[in-house]
Amino acid sequence: MRVTPLKALPLEQLRERSSTKWRTYPADVLPLFVAETDFPLAPAITDRLARAVTLGDTGYTPPDPGVRDAYVAFAGRRFGWAPRPDRIRTTGDVIMGVVELLRRVIEPGDRVVVTPPVYPPFYDAVPEAGGVVERVPLSAGPSGHELDVAGIEAALAGGARAILLCNPHNPTGTVHGREALAKIAEAADRFGATVISDEIHAPLAYPGTGFTPFLAASPTAARVGFAVTSASKAFNLAGLKCALMIAGDDQHARVLRSLPAEVEWRTGLFGAMAAVASFAPESDAWLDSALAAIDENRRLLADLLSRHVPGARYRMPDAGFLAWVDLGGLGWGDNPSTRILREARVALHYGPAFGDEGRGHVRFNIGCSPEVLTEAVERIGALVDA
């Protein structure tokens, strides 16, 4: 049965929003940079938050707002995975969770593996937790970017104490395979290291890509790892502040319980309410429609680039609404987004922020209408022969 793609809101309505995407640049700029989508909220979220506003339900977040049970049920439906509720705690956002967990599993000065090109806040989160970033770039495999398992093993053998994964990967949209995840888990176990997996984009894995939560990759993965996730990317809730930290075994659950109460107090009440509504069964149809819309856009982008920016190199992502595009062949320098913003009035996330491997690249946000995406690429295309 074909799913009807979700329609983005009209541009004039979107410009009434007060979030970063719509308040960073002037109105003549098409903003396709930060990871906010242009869709209306899922109805269950709107209803829950509207009811809270009507009631004046704006106090402190309760000890158990229902997020853990809602996520466990969601993970079962979407991933075939059943984490235990008593091994889950919440906090404000994924990077908060990453930092707090790293503080518990490394000592000051320990090295932490990251896999660039990767989400820029990783480079800040590791030193915030007292660690030192060790870069093990993704490899270019026959089907796209892949984890360099041998390189990660070598880093662990050399003394790295933790691995910070991004699965699905930002910015490439790669869904890391179960076999690679299991191998990394074995290496971490062998060298006494810990894996922390940022899985915020997991709800946006396209059907058939075979997304595997790290903690479900193998019994060893459950023993050596944590996952940190949120409804915020899939359901556009970044401003509401709610993320989940998940342990795979009792020992790591004790680490979660040892975190100061303040870590959980950072969970926003509206974030918790919206997360419960997002993970509820009645939001599944909305999520499927959003995925259908983004799926059409990832294919549209390939067509638009081939027609208007033929020097671009692009592989469609396996998950999410972020597209990683190599414009290095156009001669626009290490950071082509600067010229694109200045001359085409399109704001893209600049590639070098993701690591040295991002030179010559840009990251498109394709969680928008086909019309906005088309106009953006046409504007960029006009620079090719200028």
Side-chain angles (χ1 to χ4, degrees):
M1 179 178 171
R2 185 177 184 276
V3 176
T4 302
L6 192 62
K7 289 188 178 299
L9 294 170
L11 196 55
E12 60 271 16
Q13 186 174 345
L14 291 165
R15 292 199 182 279
E16 295 180 20
R17 290 180 172 178
S18 60
S19 61
T20 291
K21 185 173 185 179
W22 301 101
R23 289 294 181 267
T24 300
Y25 297 104
D28 65 327
V29 172
L30 291 177
L32 276 68
F33 67 114
V34 72
E36 300 178 24
T37 57
D38 296 352
F39 303 120
L41 288 178
I45 299 172
T46 301
D47 292 346
R48 183 66 187 91
L49 296 181
R51 185 164 71 254
V53 170
T54 299
L55 293 171
D57 190 5
T58 53
Y60 291 111
T61 307
D64 183 8
V67 179
R68 292 175 297 180
D69 288 338
Y71 179 76
V72 168
F74 177 86
R77 295 193 310 275
R78 307 298 291 200
F79 313 138
W81 176 46
R84 280 177 35 181
D86 61 339
R87 294 174 177 170
I88 300 174
R89 290 189 75 183
T90 63
T91 191
D93 60 43
V94 161
I95 292 299
M96 284 184 190
V98 166
V99 170
E100 295 299 339
L101 290 172
L102 280 175
R103 285 173 174 158
R104 292 305 184 279
V105 301
I106 65 170
E107 298 294 333
D110 281 349
R111 286 175 286 125
V112 178
V113 172
V114 302
T115 55
V118 76
Y119 184 48
F122 278 21
Y123 299 108
D124 295 325
V126 171
E128 183 180 348
V132 177
V133 170
E134 176 152 354
R135 301 165 69 260
V136 180
L138 297 178
S139 300
S143 57
H145 291 88
E146 299 176 352
L147 291 167
D148 180 359
V149 175
I152 293 172
E153 289 178 341
L156 296 176
R161 304 305 300 153
I163 306 162
L164 182 50
L165 285 182
C166 194
N167 183 37
H169 199 86
N170 177 5
T172 65
T174 305
V175 169
H176 299 308
R178 181 185 296 269
E179 182 179 353
L181 296 175
K183 287 181 178 178
I184 287 172
E186 292 295 334
D189 189 46
R190 190 160 62 251
F191 293 105
T194 304
V195 180
I196 300 173
S197 183
D198 171 356
E199 299 183 356
I200 197 170
H201 294 275
L204 293 170
Y206 297 106
T209 54
F211 170 74
T212 301
F214 178 77
L215 298 179
S218 69
T220 303
R223 189 167 64 250
V224 302
F226 295 92
V228 190
T229 191
S230 173
S232 63
K233 286 293 184 288
F235 293 91
N236 203 41
L237 305 173
L240 298 186
K241 295 301 177 185
C242 178
L244 301 94
M245 303 171 290
I246 308 169
D249 71 353
D250 289 337
Q251 180 178 343
H252 279 169
R254 285 192 289 273
V255 173
L256 284 184
R257 289 193 293 272
S258 75
L259 295 173
E262 181 61 30
V263 173
E264 195 159 68
W265 271 105
R266 295 169 189 162
T267 308
L269 178 58
F270 272 30
M273 292 175 183
V276 172
S278 300
F279 295 139
E282 53 264 39
S283 291
D284 284 354
W286 183 96
L287 181 57
D288 291 338
S289 292
L291 272 169
I294 302 165
D295 184 20
E296 288 191 351
N297 276 356
R298 67 174 178 155
R299 300 173 192 278
L300 174 63
L301 180 60
D303 178 61
L304 290 169
L305 290 172
S306 67
R307 287 192 282 127
H308 299 288
V309 194
R313 293 191 295 174
Y314 161 64
R315 181 185 180 276
M316 288 192 295
D318 301 323
F321 54 86
L322 305 172
W324 189 235
V325 180
D326 182 356
L327 301 179
L330 300 180
W332 294 353
D334 286 348
N335 189 8
S337 65
T338 55
R339 183 184 179 191
I340 291 170
L341 176 60
R342 183 178 65 248
E343 300 181 28
R345 309 305 284 164
V346 176
L348 305 174
H349 207 325
Y350 46 97
F354 296 83
D356 291 343
E357 295 74 15
R359 292 175 181 171
H361 291 70
V362 294
R363 193 190 73 178
F364 277 78
N365 178 341
I366 59 173
C368 58
S369 71
E371 292 78 16
V372 166
L373 183 59
T374 298
E375 181 178 346
V377 178
E378 287 177 347
R379 289 188 189 187
I380 296 167
L383 303 181
V384 174
D385 298 319

